[in-house]
Amino acid sequence: MPSISKLRALASSARNLATGKPLLAIFEINLRCNSACGYCALPLNRGRYEMTRAEIRAVFARLSRGGLRIVFVQGGEPTLRPDLVDVLEDMCALGLFPVLVTNGTRLSAALVARLTRLRMQISVSLDTLDRSRYRQIRGADQLPRVLEGIAALQTFAGTKFITCIVSDVNRGDVRGVVAFARERGFIPVVGAYHWGVGTYGKKDERLRYEPALAAAVFREVRDSGEVPAGYYRDYLDDSVRWLSGGSLPPCDAGRYSVAIDASGNVAPCLAHPAAGNLRKASLDEILARFDRDAIGRCSRASTCNLLCSRVVGTALRRPISGARTLLSFRP
């Protein structure tokens, strides 16, 4: 039988579903990076405060008791943090489900051996298999190291993803990346470059695309059947509709999902300013400070289709697809 603590966790998560409170957090565990991506406007490598392991555990213990369950652990580049595995172990012990989002440059056999013991998932960012275009997009000549990291993940026991962000530079490479992912047991996730959306998307004229051309890429990937049924194929449908001038369903930002930076500041998502710090205030206090009108205006404008802040709502609106997503975790 489930333990009392697990039953309480399930009850708090169900309560969050019913009341529209966060189940998912994007956590920028650090703000240091060894890449210089053209589409990233995060304030990286500036010596900003990062919570200690103990502070992270204390913050996420409270969030877990409050019903939070999924944590996208990203950066910066999270593998630059020496105690990353320790933090992930703490999260798993708290009943949380972490998803590590990495550029893959520092994945090694030793690191993967530690990660594979945890109940978690890993997503590696890979926009192209062409070394020159990779350097153009990512600002660093790192593709060989990324491919080595992906090879190291062959022994990883959990679900793993390769995430490809479509820009004008790599439009012709996306199908190749998707096939590469499938051949190696990864679920391919294809998203769009967004510019001018808070810290998520820096305006880079080299990467900007004509929406119709990007929509054709998403349509081709969707129709190929290489992306498993469920949420990830629904996400392709949504991207085609958005890039073709249509509207998107309501965003989860500030409701089912929040963004937490390395120092504990909380915002509805990466496109909105922080409203408080979890080292000084409770999540409920911070949620009450969110500008709901601004979140609604942002959502209705369909200015973005982020991979993080529309997950829960999309699954709730499409429960059959949500169930199929769970099955698709065996690519």
Side-chain angles (χ1 to χ4, degrees):
M1 290 182 61
S3 66
I4 296 298
S5 60
K6 287 184 178 180
L7 289 173
R8 286 174 177 165
L10 287 171
S12 60
S13 297
R15 185 169 58 250
N16 284 14
L17 274 174
T19 59
K21 292 181 64 177
L23 288 160
L24 181 151
I26 308 131
F27 177 42
E28 300 167 305
I29 192 171
N30 63 359
L31 285 170
R32 289 167 284 142
C33 196
N34 57 351
S35 296
C37 301
Y39 44 63
C40 178
L42 292 171
L44 302 173
N45 303 324
R46 299 182 187 175
R48 298 180 67 186
Y49 181 73
E50 297 174 4
M51 290 187 287
T52 65
R53 176 188 177 186
E55 287 174 322
I56 293 171
R57 184 179 178 89
V59 161
F60 279 93
R62 293 193 293 272
L63 294 177
S64 177
R65 290 193 295 271
L68 191 82
R69 283 295 159 260
I70 303 169
V71 186
F72 288 2
V73 180
Q74 56 188 56
E77 171 46 44
T79 58
L80 290 173
R81 183 158 174 142
D83 61 354
L84 170 66
V85 179
D86 298 323
V87 172
L88 293 171
E89 289 174 346
D90 290 344
M91 288 184 174
C92 291
L94 291 168
L96 297 167
F97 191 80
V99 180
L100 177 64
V101 181
T102 172
N103 63 21
T105 58
R106 292 170 56 86
L107 293 171
S108 64
L111 176 58
V112 171
R114 293 188 66 189
L115 295 176
T116 200
R117 296 195 293 266
L118 302 178
R119 182 176 175 270
M120 61 175 292
Q121 298 175 352
I122 297 178
S123 176
V124 179
S125 301
L126 179 65
D127 301 327
T128 178
L129 294 168
D130 181 271
R131 188 168 180 174
S132 175
R133 286 192 287 276
Y134 185 97
R135 182 171 58 248
Q136 183 179 356
I137 295 168
R138 295 277 169 171
D141 185 15
Q142 297 171 319
L143 181 59
R145 291 166 59 187
V146 177
L147 297 180
E148 290 174 5
I150 289 172
L153 281 173
Q154 293 305 304
T155 61
F156 180 70
T159 302
K160 50 200 175 188
F161 307 88
I162 283 178
T163 299
C164 178
I165 300 300
V166 179
S167 69
D168 198 57
V169 171
N170 71 330
R171 283 189 294 109
D173 301 336
V174 176
R175 280 292 303 279
V177 173
V178 169
F180 174 88
R182 294 294 285 175
E183 289 166 3
R184 286 155 181 79
F186 289 73
I187 293 178
V189 180
V190 182
Y193 163 50
H194 303 285
W195 55 86
V197 185
T199 56
Y200 181 82
K202 181 172 63 178
K203 293 181 180 179
D204 188 321
E205 292 302 324
R206 301 168 304 167
L207 303 181
R208 291 178 67 161
Y209 49 74
E210 290 295 328
L213 296 177
V217 174
F218 281 89
R219 193 176 293 112
E220 182 183 6
V221 172
R222 180 196 62 191
D223 296 345
S224 73
E226 292 179 311
V227 173
Y231 172 77
Y232 303 103
R233 198 174 297 171
D234 291 341
Y235 184 77
L236 293 173
D237 284 331
D238 287 344
S239 294
V240 170
R241 182 168 61 255
W242 164 69
L243 289 164
S244 301
S247 60
L248 290 167
C251 182
D252 298 339
R255 191 167 182 239
Y256 290 124
S257 68
V258 291
I260 305 170
D261 77 4
S263 65
N265 293 315
V266 183
C269 79
L270 297 177
H272 291 268
N277 189 289
L278 288 167
R279 292 182 291 124
K280 303 173 182 178
S282 71
L283 180 59
D284 283 342
E285 291 173 311
I286 297 171
L287 292 174
R289 301 172 192 162
F290 283 172
D291 186 338
R292 301 290 172 179
D293 290 337
I295 297 170
R297 288 193 300 271
C298 183
S299 176
R300 289 189 295 275
S302 296
T303 54
C304 68
N305 189 19
L306 299 187
L307 285 159
C308 48
S309 56
R310 294 186 186 268
V311 174
V312 178
T314 298
L316 289 176
R317 283 185 291 271
R318 301 164 176 167
I320 295 175
S321 285
R324 296 178 76 186
T325 302
L326 297 176
L327 296 175
S328 75
F329 281 170
R330 296 186 296 275

